[in-house]
Structure formats: structure tokens, C-alpha cells
Amino acid sequence: MDSKGVTEQPTSFERPETGADPAEARGALVRASTPSTTHTTPPHTPGGGSALSAQSAQARAGDTPSTPGTTTPPGPSKEPPVIAGNGPEHSQPSVAAEPDAHRPRPVPEAIPPQPGIEQPPGSAERRTGGTVQPGRPTPMRRDGDRLRFVGAATRRIARGIDLDEIVMGLCRATVPTFSDAILVYLRDPLPVGDERPTGPVVLRLRRTDRIPEERDTEGGFLPAQQQPEPTELATVTAELCEVRPGGALAEVLRGVRPVFADAPAARAALPELLGDDGQSIIPDGQRAILAPLRGRRRVIGAAVFLRRPERLAFEPDDLLVAAQLATHSALGIDKAVLYGREAYIADELQRTMLPETLPRPTGVRLASRYLPAAETARVGGDWYDAIPLPGSRVALVVGDVMGHSMTSAAIMGQLRTTAQTLAGLDLPPQEVLHHLDEQAQRLGTDRMATCLYAVYDPVSHRITIANAGHPPPVLLHLGGRAEVLRVPAGAPIGVGGVDFEAVELDAPAGATLLLYTDGLVESRLRDVWTGIEQLREKLAATAQLTGPDHPPPLEALCDEVLDMLGPGDRDDDIALLAARFDGIAPSDVAYWFLEPEDAAPGRARRLARRALSRWGLEELTDSVELLVSEVVTNAVRYASRPVTLRLLRTDVLRCEVGDDVPQLPRLRQARATDEGGRGLYLVNRLARRWGATRLSTGKVVWFELNRG
């Protein structure tokens, strides 16, 4: 056979030959004979097939293939040469490939044994199909092994979405495959985006990981959940490190490229990074790599890869692996920090648009809850509010803007502000929804929202409700019966051209009104009406636990309601507002009409004195008479219709004076020559609280005094 006909196989099919030196980077190439340049017609076999067919049959049968133009002697065949992947499916015919010839498939790459670990007998044959020299582990000796490792490691790092997941992914991807231990240092605090950190650069030890001392019988490592805490590295190394400007560590970090620990720059930088006692964990030789972690704009930390003395040292190509790991980790950390800041801003935006604390109006107790849809969608359009109104009333509002985005949260904030402004004008609930609808249309054509607006009067024990496409509220009575209130649904806010209707219902003392958004009752697993029925049953079952004479505590009731949510029920954010109606008893209310005449202040003093005597509050008589006289005198001076005077006895004593003049009084400093202007000054000095509220029919001036 012509020796010139011998050629190497393509690179993609290279594989180590049996008995090849494992230290060889790519292993011995499998060589096969090819036809000579002389074209000869192959002889036919007796069966009518060509020699090529017979030769292929022999190859499939495990015989030694013969070249064209040669005759295979009869008789038993000789022992075929041993090739990596010994067996007929790994053998390749030595003939030139014809246009329609079957191309041999490559042999799968052998799995390299773990470095520094004794392999059980026969493990090398099981891995590669051949034999390797004992005592010579070959971890990632070829470029293909390194590429596969880097690909798998970067995929594991990229799966993390927060800082801890990314750092843990780096540690678990490198230990024990690439190194026996790793230390990860990050800047403290981590810079975000384009902001310029102030002060010195400080690195904090974020995480350490190492191979456990004990190994299993198969030569592998213990599972991750059984690994002991890496206290050895944490105790030996320094937790904080201040990078000195112009120091050795600063120079290595500025260079960005990983360096071996025995390099001159690293020998001076590692003591600064690890501390005085940290040098004891650095092995001799090229068994440690210091890799700076550079993000998009600056160095954000460093990683130290360590190998034990009994394991093979790092090679120059391993610096490229360390550089890839450091780059992907740093970019992932940058991404996680930016995402964390965006999530924080979104969460703060959502929280600041909701009430920080609920008011404590007279005759009603309030509790609320808000839950975002998920950690990845922390902003939404759900909101709730409780707004005190004149006459000890309170407005209860809950709404839901369509969507889960910053835009939805911004629209929610504008609608909530509009609702507060309209509530301050003491407009009826249906009028409030009408103006909210107009405001939503001014914000955009596709700004849709649902809203429910209710006004509770603790004196009359009545509640007025108007609805704009929102789920109906549920009223839990004192005896444990829960009912869904029949409120006209109406059209959502933003549709335009729709009239809203309000209904007035009884609100008995001890009852609890629950307002909520559709995220509580609707999900992919159930429709809205099924969820409302489940909510009603949940409220009734919770009320049975406290008995028919005692309503359940509000905070516990809210928690029980949220417990009805299953794993697949968090498709939307949830706003929840619960109101317990205590009301004000008729015996604690005194109400009069006063004609706008000069004798009105004196009559007001006498009526107030009698009411205080009946309630046993004589110690407040002097203060109440003085303040009532001043406020009534100011109302009578400008009013043209009867003036109202009302006293309410709750935990405080509240006095309200109403007239038909819309101008609100203002506190001012009276001059020595002024005859008036001192009434509100006295009210401000003696009263616990005071204020004035404009009504559609005028205004109400009120003040409160502590009861003893």
C-alpha cells in the first residue's frame, strides 16, 4: 500500500488513542488508511457485490478492513487493533467516502476523572473505553474540556437573578471541578449603575466554599447539602479589606486580568486582601489564582481560586477559564444590583402611594393589607384609602387600575389624589366617581380602573356606596352571618358618558365591611363569583370562632382572609380594607339649630352646659362654654341661615358648628388695637385639635377636648 495514501481524520472526530499519553493536549490522532491515488476497479465478490460492500460487511462484523486493490487471505482474521471506543460501532472504514457513503459519527468525549482523587479500578476504562496510566489524573487537559466547563459554569451563573444566587452559582460551578476552594470578595457597598462611590474602596468577604475533607467510597464528593460550613477559610481570611490607592492590590485589580499567586504582583497583593493570617491557605506553586471581578464600569470585587498541594497545579490556559468566570460573574452581579435597585424603587413607589397609616375616625376601626402580585411585578394599580369627613363621617375607598407597571402605579397615584380632593369637598359618592371618570379620560384614552367609594356615618349608622365596575363588598354581621351587598356594578372609570348610582344601606354596630380588589377572589383557577362565595364562607367560618356576641379582631380577620389564597391564586396584586362599625350611640349625641341672631352665643353656652352636666363632664364646662361662644359668634356674624351645633361624646368630646358660608376661617395674630381676631387663637390654645372643612352647603368648624 502506498504510504502517501495515509491521511489524518478531520479534527471534529479526533479522539485519544488507547495507550496515548494523557499529558498530550489533544491525545493521539486516530489514523486510517485511504485508497491510493491509482483508481482501480474493485473486484466483485461471488455474491455479486463489490469488494467495497464486502469490506463494509467485514468492518461491521469487527474484521480488519482491507484497502481496495488488496486481497484478504482466507481463514480466521487477525486480532483487530485496539481503538478508543473498542467495538464495531466505534470502528471506521478506511476507504474514501463516496458521495452517498455513510459518514462515521464521532465518539463522545471521555469524562475526565476528578483531579487529586484515586479512581476505583476500571473507572478509566468505563470513562474512555481504554486504559490510562495510574496516578496521572487528567482534568480538563484539552481545550474542549475547558470550553464545556466554561459553558456549563456560565449557564449556572446566569441562572441567578439576585446577588446571592449569582455568587453561589459561581462557587458551586467551580468547586470541585475547577478548584478545591474559592473566596469571593465584593465591594461594600456595591456601586449601582453610574453612581460614583464616595470614600475608600472596601472589599468584604461575601462567600467561601471548599471541598469537604470526607469523600464517599466511589471517590466522589459529598452532596452539597451534606457539606460542612466553610468555617476554616472564613476564620483564616480577613472579612474586610481596604484597598489602598497605589498599593499592590489596587494595581492587580486595575489590571483586570487574573494572575497566579506566585506572580510578583499577586505575592504582594494577596496579603493585603487575605490579611496577615491569610497567607497560610495559599499553596505553593501555581495552585492559586487571583481574578479581579470587573463589572460594566468598574472593578466590583475579586475571586481567589485555590487547589490543594496534592492536586495538579493550574495551567496557563486556566487563567483564561478564570477570566471567563470572573467576567460573567461580575456582569451578573451588576445586573442583580441594578435589578435590586429597580425593585426597591418600584416597591417604594407603590408603598408611598398607599396610606402610611390609617386614620382613627370616630365610631369606626380600620385595618388594611396590600400584597404585590409577585417579586418580579411589585408595582400595580391597586389602592385603598380612608378619608375623614365632616360630621365624624369617613370615606372608604378601594380601586384597581388595569395593568402591572410603573404607568399603572402612577395613574393610581393620580386617581387617589383626585379622590382625596373630591372627598374634601364632601361630594356624594356618585359625584366622586363621576369626577374620577372625567379625570381618567383626561389622563388617556386607555386609562381604565374600577373603584368603590363608600361613606359611613357613625351617628345615623348608615353607609352610602357607589360602585364603578368593582367587586361588591361583603358585610359580616355581629351574629356571624356574611352577606354580599347588592350594589349596582356600574361601568369602570375611564369609559365615559356613564351615570353612577349610589345606594344607602344599614351599617349596624359590630358589623364589619370588607372592601377588596379582584386579586383576592379571581385567578386562573377560579372565576370572580366563585371567589366571592369562598370569601363569604371564609368570613362566616372565622366569625364562628369568636362566638355570636364578639366580632373577630380586625387584624386577625385580614390575615385569615389572605390565608384563603392558594399557590396559584397570586395572579394579581391585592388591596384589602376592613372597617369595623362601632357607631355613636344616640345618647352620646346632642344636636341643635340656632338662629343667626345676637342671642345665639348665649343660648349655645346654656345648651352645652346642660349636655355636659347630663354626661358627667362638668370639669369641661368652662373651656367648652368659652370655645363654643367664640365659634358660634363668628358663624352668626356672617351666616344667613340657621347655625347647627352638635356635641359628640366618644373617647374625646367633639364640638361641631356649621353655617352656610363657604369661606374657611384662618388663624392670625391680632394686633393690640383690634377688637376681634382672637377667637381662633383661643381655640388653638385650649383645644386638643381643631379644624375647618368646606361643605357643598357651607362649612363646619370643629374642635376636640380630652375627657379628663
Side-chain angles (χ1 to χ4, degrees):
M1 182 178 66
D2 190 358
S3 60
K4 296 181 180 181
V6 178
T7 59
E8 294 184 356
Q9 295 292 330
T11 306
S12 59
F13 299 107
E14 294 173 0
R15 60 182 183 272
E17 188 178 2
T18 304
D21 187 0
E24 187 69 24
R26 303 185 61 84
L29 300 178
V30 177
R31 300 176 181 271
S33 59
T34 57
S36 62
T37 55
T38 304
H39 298 280
T40 307
T41 303
H44 291 274
T45 59
S50 63
L52 177 61
S53 301
Q55 180 178 325
S56 301
Q58 293 173 358
R60 288 192 299 269
D63 296 336
T64 305
S66 59
T67 58
T70 62
T71 303
T72 303
S77 61
K78 297 181 180 180
E79 186 70 17
V82 179
I83 303 177
N86 189 16
E89 67 172 342
H90 293 289
S91 61
Q92 299 179 7
S94 59
V95 296
E98 295 183 357
D100 56 348
H102 175 69
R103 188 175 184 181
R105 68 179 182 181
V107 178
E109 295 287 352
I111 301 175
Q114 295 293 344
I117 303 175
E118 294 185 2
Q119 301 296 324
S123 61
E125 289 81 359
R126 291 198 301 269
R127 293 175 181 268
T128 63
T131 59
V132 296
Q133 299 180 12
R136 301 191 62 181
T138 59
M140 293 188 294
R141 302 293 294 177
R142 294 176 297 174
D143 295 339
D145 295 329
R146 290 189 174 90
L147 289 176
R148 282 190 294 272
F149 166 72
V150 170
T154 53
R155 284 193 299 271
R156 184 166 189 171
I157 295 170
R159 284 199 297 264
I161 195 172
D162 61 13
L163 183 60
D164 292 333
E165 290 179 351
I166 293 173
V167 175
M168 181 179 293
L170 170 64
C171 295
R172 295 298 170 82
T174 55
V175 178
T177 307
F178 182 69
S179 64
D180 295 328
I182 183 174
L183 296 91
V184 181
Y185 286 83
L186 296 180
R187 292 185 66 164
D188 186 26
L190 279 168
V192 180
D194 296 329
E195 69 179 17
R196 293 182 175 273
T198 59
V201 178
V202 177
L203 299 182
R204 178 182 292 274
L205 182 62
R206 185 76 185 192
R207 185 178 177 87
T208 63
D209 206 352
R210 65 181 174 88
I211 297 178
E213 296 296 337
E214 299 179 359
R215 302 188 177 102
D216 60 15
T217 56
E218 296 295 331
F221 296 95
L222 293 176
Q225 62 271 17
Q226 299 179 6
Q227 293 186 9
E229 292 295 329
T231 55
E232 179 184 351
L233 296 179
T235 55
V236 172
T237 58
E239 183 179 358
L240 286 178
C241 166
E242 182 176 342
V243 182
R244 298 189 299 269
L249 181 59
E251 293 298 325
V252 173
L253 297 180
R254 187 180 297 111
V256 178
R257 297 180 180 278
V259 293
F260 287 120
D262 58 353
R267 281 199 300 266
L270 283 174
E272 183 180 349
L273 177 65
L274 304 179
D276 297 335
D277 299 332
Q279 282 294 100
S280 60
I281 66 172
I282 303 299
D284 296 332
Q286 294 183 350
R287 288 182 171 83
I289 296 177
L290 173 58
L293 302 178
R294 179 176 176 82
R296 291 174 175 83
R297 290 174 176 83
R298 61 183 63 85
V299 174
I300 60 175
V304 181
F305 304 94
L306 303 171
R307 282 186 181 177
R308 290 172 176 165
E310 64 270 16
R311 187 173 177 179
L312 292 178
F314 288 112
E315 299 178 356
D317 287 343
D318 291 328
L319 293 178
L320 301 178
V321 176
Q324 288 292 322
L325 296 176
T327 300
H328 284 273
S329 300
L331 294 178
I333 291 171
D334 256 0
K335 173 191 67 176
V337 172
L338 288 173
Y339 172 78
R341 174 59 62 88
E342 291 179 358
Y344 170 78
I345 293 174
D347 186 67
E348 287 298 310
L349 173 65
Q350 181 74 42
R351 297 294 178 181
T352 53
M353 288 187 177
L354 296 174
E356 184 177 355
T357 58
L358 291 174
R360 296 182 178 180
T362 303
V364 62
R365 286 174 288 174
L366 303 172
S368 62
R369 294 290 187 275
Y370 175 80
L371 292 179
E375 291 295 325
T376 56
R378 302 182 68 88
V379 292
D382 291 17
W383 91 92
Y384 61 88
D385 211 344
I387 309 168
L389 298 178
S392 300
R393 297 172 299 155
V394 59
L396 307 175
V397 191
V398 65
D400 183 4
V401 178
M402 297 183 181
H404 300 89
S405 63
M406 292 288 193
T407 303
S408 301
I411 295 173
M412 177 267 287
Q414 297 180 70
L415 293 180
R416 177 172 177 251
T417 302
T418 303
Q420 289 179 331
T421 304
L422 296 172
L425 299 176
D426 198 26
L427 297 178
Q430 65 271 22
E431 290 296 325
V432 172
L433 295 184
H434 175 73
H435 289 292
L436 284 176
D437 180 62
E438 292 180 341
Q439 175 67 12
Q441 294 179 65
R442 285 191 291 268
L443 295 176
T445 56
D446 57 345
R447 307 310 186 195
M448 305 286 290
T450 62
C451 182
L452 191 143
Y453 189 93
V455 176
Y456 170 66
D457 189 344
V459 177
S460 63
H461 297 269
R462 303 281 290 178
I463 185 169
T464 305
I465 306 175
N467 192 3
H470 203 79
V474 180
L475 184 64
L476 178 63
H477 293 270
L478 184 59
R481 181 174 63 91
E483 65 169 326
V484 180
L485 297 183
R486 297 176 178 269
V487 180
I493 291 174
V495 174
V498 179
D499 292 332
F500 299 98
E501 182 181 355
V503 294
E504 187 174 354
L505 304 171
D506 289 330
T512 303
L513 183 69
L514 197 70
L515 308 180
Y516 53 91
T517 56
D518 57 355
L520 180 65
V521 295
E522 185 179 18
S523 68
R524 292 171 295 179
L525 304 179
R526 59 183 177 183
D527 60 89
V528 61
W529 289 109
T530 301
I532 292 175
E533 180 62 23
Q534 293 178 359
L535 173 62
R536 189 192 65 80
E537 295 175 354
K538 183 69 174 180
L539 290 175
T542 304
Q544 297 298 327
L545 300 177
T546 57
D549 299 331
H550 301 281
L554 274 183
E555 298 294 337
L557 181 65
C558 292
D559 294 336
E560 287 292 330
V561 167
L562 294 180
D563 285 343
M564 65 178 284
L565 297 172
D569 293 341
R570 292 290 301 280
D571 300 330
D572 196 0
D573 47 343
I574 299 171
L576 179 66
L577 180 62
R580 173 71 45 74
F581 299 143
D582 295 331
I584 301 176
S587 59
D588 293 330
V589 180
Y591 191 84
W592 304 280
F593 285 95
L594 304 174
E595 293 295 331
E597 55 188 12
D598 295 341
R603 184 167 180 260
R605 289 193 296 270
R606 292 191 300 270
L607 294 174
R609 187 185 310 116
R610 294 173 186 173
L612 294 178
S613 177
R614 186 171 66 251
W615 291 337
L617 300 176
E618 290 85 355
E619 68 275 6
L620 300 178
T621 301
D622 294 339
S623 300
V624 172
E625 286 187 7
L626 176 60
L627 300 183
V628 166
S629 179
E630 292 294 337
V631 176
V632 172
T633 299
N634 188 68
V636 170
R637 179 178 300 178
Y638 305 102
S640 58
R641 296 181 180 179
V643 176
T644 61
L645 173 62
R646 186 167 72 168
L647 296 180
L648 301 174
R649 183 184 65 168
T650 57
D651 55 338
V652 297
L653 180 67
R654 181 182 178 96
C655 177
E656 300 173 352
V657 178
D659 58 59
D660 60 345
V661 181
Q663 287 77 17
L664 300 180
R666 300 298 180 189
L667 181 65
R668 64 184 180 87
Q669 187 70 32
R671 292 174 295 183
T673 58
D674 291 343
E675 296 182 359
R678 296 177 178 86
L680 287 182
Y681 179 77
L682 293 174
V683 173
N684 184 63
R685 294 286 295 181
L686 298 178
R688 174 178 175 266
R689 291 194 312 158
W690 76 278
T693 306
R694 182 179 286 110
L695 305 179
S696 58
T697 58
K699 70 174 180 295
V700 169
V701 180
W702 57 270
F703 63 86
E704 294 177 353
L705 294 173
N706 291 324
R707 295 176 50 183

